[in-house]
Amino acid sequence: MRLRGKYVILSLVFLVLGFMISFSYQFTKRESANQISSRQWTNEYQYRKMLIEQEQLNRELQKELFEKQKKVREVEEEFANEEKILFNLVEDVEKLRMYTGKIAVKGNGVEVTLADASYIPTEENANNYIVHESHVFKVVNELYISGASAVAINGQRLSKDSYISCNGPVITVDGKQFPAPFVISAIGNPDVLYPALNITGGVKDQLVEDNIVVKMAKKDEIVLEPIIHSEQNV
């Protein structure tokens, strides 16, 4: 009976001990799971916070990028405008150089040749049958009025300071003397210049009436060299 009582007591002790060990294991497992869940939640919260901060930073960087792109476009437009202005200035300078005779020019236009009358009666005044500066002036003025951009007389370019004078059978252009015939070359639209000279009652008819031999021709290409000043005109 005593031995059996000891077994019973030991059985109860082991039973209680087993229960305590099982309870302790379950409790420890549950607490560990709770700790893991808490740590995961904390990590997720931190990651989410970092993600939100990164998205905010990305938005700010994107906004800054848009602003810089806008400034770049404004600078490009400013450069484009300046380049256009510079191009226009260079083009204007080239035109001024052309008009002042500083550079050679090439283009289509017309060529007018004025020659003395082929027959001069002995009883008449010979001055009535030769080319004078007034005849040359008529042609040159009509060419400029009709839009000629450059004009030359026997290869001598004209400028705003040019002067033409007559001395017997020769004509002086900016200090250089030229005998007849006088070839007046003009760069411009030949379809405008030619009809302007050839209009009924116009310059050509007036010259023919003054016994001047007039020849006119359209030219596909005329080359005029820069102005060469004579020593008298320097």
Side-chain angles (χ1 to χ4, degrees), residues 126-144:
N127 287 329
N128 296 330
Y129 293 87
I130 64 175
V131 180
H132 296 284
E133 74 270 21
S134 59
H135 300 130
V136 176
F137 273 129
K138 285 183 179 180
V139 176
V140 171
N141 288 337
E142 186 63 35
L143 289 171
Y144 277 129

Side-chain angles (χ1 to χ4, degrees), residues 67-99:
E67 292 176 353
K68 290 187 181 298
Q69 288 177 339
K70 181 179 178 182
K71 290 182 179 179
V72 169
R73 286 194 298 270
E74 291 175 353
V75 172
E76 288 176 346
E77 291 177 358
E78 185 177 350
F79 281 156
N81 292 332
E82 290 180 356
E83 185 177 356
K84 184 177 180 180
I85 293 173
L86 181 60
F87 175 80
N88 292 335
L89 288 175
V90 172
E91 193 176 45
D92 292 341
V93 169
E94 289 299 312
K95 287 182 180 179
L96 290 174
R97 286 176 176 171
M98 179 185 68
Y99 291 140

Side-chain angles (χ1 to χ4, degrees), residues 30-77:
R30 186 167 53 252
E31 287 295 322
S32 178
N34 291 335
Q35 290 179 0
I36 292 174
S37 299
S38 177
R39 187 163 56 249
Q40 287 179 343
W41 184 87
T42 302
N43 290 339
E44 289 180 0
Y45 174 78
Q46 293 295 332
Y47 292 150
R48 187 174 300 175
K49 183 179 180 182
M50 290 172 61
L51 179 61
I52 294 173
E53 292 176 352
Q54 188 63 45
E55 290 178 349
Q56 180 66 26
L57 179 60
N58 289 342
R59 283 194 293 269
E60 292 176 357
L61 291 175
Q62 190 174 30
K63 182 179 179 182
E64 184 178 354
L65 177 62
F66 289 155
E67 292 176 353
K68 290 187 181 298
Q69 288 177 339
K70 181 179 178 182
K71 290 182 179 179
V72 169
R73 286 194 298 270
E74 291 175 353
V75 172
E76 288 176 346
E77 291 177 358

Side-chain angles (χ1 to χ4, degrees), residues 110 138-149 151 186-199 203:
V110 297
K138 285 183 179 180
V139 176
V140 171
N141 288 337
E142 186 63 35
L143 289 171
Y144 277 129
I145 291 172
S146 302
S149 57
V151 179
I187 292 179
N189 188 345
D191 294 330
V192 175
L193 300 179
Y194 192 93
L197 295 171
N198 204 35
I199 190 172
V203 173

